[in-house]
Amino acid sequence: MKITYDLILKQAQRLHGIALSEERAAELCEEVETINRQTSEAVASLQVEDEPADFERALLDLKDGLK
Amino acid sequence: MNGHDEVAALSLTALASAIRAKRISSVEATKACIARIENAQPLLNCFIAIEADAALERARQSDEDLSRGKIRGALHGVPLAHKDLFYRENKISTCGSKIHRGIVADHTATVIGRLEAAGALQLGTLNMAEFALGPTGHNEHYGHCRNPWNLEHISGGSSSGSGAAVAARLAYGALGSDTGGSIRIPAACCGVVGLKSTQTRVSRHGVMPLSFSLDCPGPLARTVHDCARLFSVIVGPDDNDPTTAVEPATDFEAALGANLKGLRIGVCIDAVEDDTMSDIRHTHEAALEVYRSLGAEITKVRMPDANHFGALANVIQKCESATVHGQWMRTRSNDYSEQVRSRIEAGLFLPAVRYIEALSLRGLFLREFVKQVFETVDALYLPTLPIPVPTISETDVKTGNAIPTMVATMTGLTRWVNYLGLPALSVPCGFDCRGLPVGFQLIGRPFSEARLFNLGHQYQKATDWHERAPNFIS
């Protein structure tokens, strides 16, 4: 389902208390669509156990041993 | 070259040694910088505030201490200047913005405190993109920062003043911050060295947040050795920033002598063979040839799709910066430049689940990347910028969806590194056909800064790009 500029306008007003012009809402609509499209493929890799804290653990697990 | 210029031409580490040996005083070095700043500032606009009197007073104190045998540390008497987002108690950090212009900090950033404790002094605060949002050096509130190699071209951002001031020999080193390339891009544009460290390795306490999961404070300097000195001082755990990693202190300068024989450097096939690189490709080929001559093995590697990582970093940055700025977006929306406001706004409309998905995938993708790339090579070589340094007018995009397109182009080879949290060192490696600097970045495994410093240092020992100075003052 496509994101519409009307949805962006309502979210801005009702969730964030920000007034946007219709033109700006249309631009944001396109940008949000693009970001969603760009990330949707990557998000398919998510496993049920994955969580943000795994990142710090991975940094330490993969630590460089200076050669 | 006059006396001031000769003193200003010294590297940070050479100056620190000269001060310690009492061959040059801190006052002489500080006066040399101030004289150059007075000439350069009208052209480069790289400072937001010049603190000449305070710097000279601190320099006099440094010289007096030295005369009594008291040496504060590895940066005793060395003049530095920093991006204007590092808080100092009772002082204003503008963060390049109109909104922060009147806010007095009630604490000092840990990294600034560590530099001061090591004896450094501060010449002033440096220009930056408004709230660190922008890869070019444009700033509508304080004026655009200009590239000392060609005033019509961008300095790069968001640590614009840090890149320009160090390149122009107005300060011996500077701190910047890197959320998607904001240290490495100005370093490459201005022909200096810049380090984005492993995520969690440097304290963010007292540093204006842009995106707390991605922000990395770090040094810019003329040589890799200088950067290693600055990094040695600022690195390490901090009780005030519980996200910093508890890693033992390392002497990064001690690692600078290692031979490169047999070290494997991976070159990303897609980036170097990209058609947009044609004007600067020969410069990168020459840099790789230098590494071959030093005994390193150059291997072509195929990376996982970095565009995915860049897109996920974008989600994190947009959501976190919308959170940081949410209150001001509601109450002081008109005090943002249009470009910056529009870059923050999209974060308000991304679902929370998408943000947490992007964070949750970080560890998984980091493990996959390290397995695919760093099991076969010791460091990855990439250009820092995918294009030659553009002009200010070419990148003066104020509205609409031209902004994300321009930002994506400028940060295409840097932003994904922040998502994976890897360390990356940008090193100057020559000039394009218009005389603008070209830089490469060396990317390593987590916590491999010592290896990256050595790789960069050996390159600089074999070349002289870092010794060339822009001639912008007639």
Side-chain angles (χ1 to χ4, degrees):
Chain A
M1 191 180 294
K2 203 165 163 54
I3 300 167
T4 62
Y5 83 91
D6 187 50
L7 174 68
I8 297 284
L9 269 180
K10 284 177 179 159
Q11 268 195 300
Q13 196 174 29
R14 295 178 192 175
L15 291 181
H16 301 298
I18 291 172
L20 292 177
S21 67
E22 289 194 4
E23 184 189 13
R24 180 62 192 140
E27 286 172 354
L28 280 165
C29 183
E30 193 181 323
E31 189 177 354
V32 171
E33 279 273 358
T34 302
I35 293 170
N36 262 323
R37 189 178 61 248
Q38 287 171 338
T39 52
S40 58
E41 196 180 323
V43 164
S45 309
L46 194 70
Q47 303 294 312
V48 71
E49 297 87 2
D50 290 331
E51 58 160 297
D54 185 47
F55 173 64
E56 280 79 13
R57 203 159 47 231
L59 283 175
L60 293 171
D61 288 350
L62 302 166
K63 193 164 61 174
D64 187 55
L66 188 64
K67 289 183 182 172
Chain B
M1 195 184 267
N2 64 33
H4 285 325
D5 294 342
E6 285 176 16
V7 174
L10 292 171
S11 70
L12 179 151
T13 43
L15 176 73
S17 298
I19 289 174
R20 196 173 280 228
K22 299 181 183 170
R23 291 195 303 273
I24 295 173
S25 70
S26 177
V27 167
E28 282 177 274
T30 304
K31 282 183 174 173
C33 290
I34 292 168
R36 289 183 62 82
I37 291 167
E38 284 171 354
N39 286 328
Q41 176 63 8
L43 299 171
L44 300 180
N45 193 34
C46 54
F47 276 78
I48 285 183
I50 300 165
E51 300 170 357
D53 292 343
L56 274 171
E57 181 51 40
R58 169 97 174 167
R60 282 188 201 99
Q61 187 64 52
S62 298
D63 289 338
E64 276 180 34
D65 286 348
L66 191 62
S67 70
R68 290 196 301 270
K70 181 183 175 186
I71 297 173
R72 289 178 187 272
L75 298 171
H76 188 98
V78 174
L80 306 174
H82 309 298
K83 186 177 187 177
D84 197 15
L85 52 55
F86 295 94
Y87 302 158
R88 292 174 296 163
E89 189 174 1
N90 297 325
K91 292 191 169 153
I92 290 170
S93 297
T94 67
C95 305
S97 72
K98 185 176 178 183
I99 289 173
H100 235 268
R101 198 176 257 166
I103 299 176
V104 178
D106 62 2
H107 62 285
T108 297
T110 296
V111 288
I112 296 294
R114 287 179 179 174
L115 290 173
E116 285 176 359
L121 56 94
Q122 186 163 342
L123 293 158
T125 56
L126 296 172
N127 205 348
M128 57 180 284
E130 181 183 357
F131 286 123
L133 266 164
T136 59
H138 286 75
N139 188 307
E140 290 190 12
H141 305 296
Y142 298 92
H144 307 328
C145 186
R146 293 176 179 272
N147 192 311
W149 293 95
N150 185 328
L151 302 177
E152 300 304 313
H153 286 252
I154 63 164
S155 58
S158 64
S159 308
S160 50
S162 304
V166 171
R169 277 112 172 104
L170 311 184
Y172 292 89
L175 292 184
S177 62
D178 193 316
T179 305
S182 285
I183 288 174
R184 289 162 287 158
I185 291 170
C189 289
C190 294
V192 301
V193 180
L195 175 75
K196 175 242 173 274
S197 64
T198 305
Q199 191 76 41
T200 73
R201 199 149 199 195
V202 176
S203 168
R204 294 177 295 104
H205 174 69
V207 186
M208 181 215 82
L210 169 60
S211 174
F212 30 85
S213 298
L214 302 170
D215 295 341
C216 288
L220 295 93
R222 275 169 248 156
T223 72
V224 173
H225 192 175
D226 292 351
C227 261
R229 171 77 56 92
L230 290 167
F231 190 61
S232 296
V233 171
I234 64 171
V235 72
D238 175 19
D239 290 343
N240 287 317
D241 178 1
T243 66
T244 47
V246 182
E247 279 296 297
T250 304
D251 182 351
F252 293 96
E253 291 179 77
L256 295 180
N259 193 309
L260 301 190
K261 198 164 173 51
L263 212 72
R264 303 159 302 170
I265 298 176
V267 182
C268 175
I269 300 167
D270 300 335
V272 175
E273 292 181 355
D274 188 333
D275 282 346
T276 59
M277 299 287 297
S278 57
D279 186 34
I280 49 181
R281 187 183 296 149
H282 67 281
T283 311
H284 291 293
E285 286 168 353
L288 290 167
E289 197 49 46
V290 170
Y291 275 117
R292 271 192 203 96
S293 74
L294 292 170
E297 294 171 16
I298 309 299
T299 311
K300 286 188 174 179
V301 294
R302 194 165 289 282
M303 284 181 17
D305 186 356
N307 289 328
H308 281 163
F309 305 148
L312 292 164
N314 197 28
V315 169
I316 295 171
Q317 184 186 315
K318 286 211 180 306
C319 292
E320 293 185 354
S321 56
T323 306
V324 169
H325 289 274
Q327 187 64 16
W328 286 329
M329 292 286 283
R330 283 183 282 275
T331 58
R332 300 188 63 176
S333 175
N334 290 333
D335 288 338
Y336 289 89
S337 69
E338 191 166 347
Q339 188 185 83
V340 169
R341 186 176 60 241
S342 72
R343 284 198 63 200
I344 295 170
E345 273 172 346
L348 297 169
F349 306 103
L350 293 166
V353 169
R354 187 56 29 97
Y355 167 64
I356 297 168
E357 285 169 340
L359 286 175
S360 298
L361 283 164
R362 239 177 145 189
L364 174 75
F365 285 148
L366 173 60
R367 288 177 199 279
E368 286 182 359
F369 186 90
V370 169
K371 189 171 190 315
Q372 184 169 338
V373 174
F374 293 120
E375 282 195 357
T376 54
V377 299
D378 299 299
L380 184 63
Y381 178 107
L382 270 181
T384 306
L385 275 176
I387 52 172
V389 180
T391 64
I392 289 172
S393 62
E394 281 167 350
T395 48
D396 196 13
V397 185
K398 288 195 171 66
T399 56
N401 285 336
I403 295 170
T405 303
M406 183 274 288
V407 171
T409 301
M410 290 287 297
T411 61
L413 299 178
T414 51
R415 180 185 294 278
W416 65 270
V417 182
N418 295 68
Y419 180 70
L420 297 181
L422 298 169
L425 181 73
S426 183
V427 179
C429 63
F431 297 88
D432 66 19
C433 60
R434 293 170 303 175
L436 273 299
V438 179
F440 62 79
Q441 52 179 337
L442 296 163
I443 300 160
R445 296 174 74 104
F447 301 96
S448 66
E449 283 86 352
R451 185 198 304 283
L452 301 184
F453 280 138
N454 186 46
L455 276 163
H457 179 65
Q458 297 304 328
Y459 176 81
Q460 291 199 319
K461 273 174 68 181
T463 58
D464 67 354
W465 303 115
H466 58 289
E467 290 170 6
R468 305 193 188 189
N471 187 23
F472 59 93
I473 301 174
S474 55

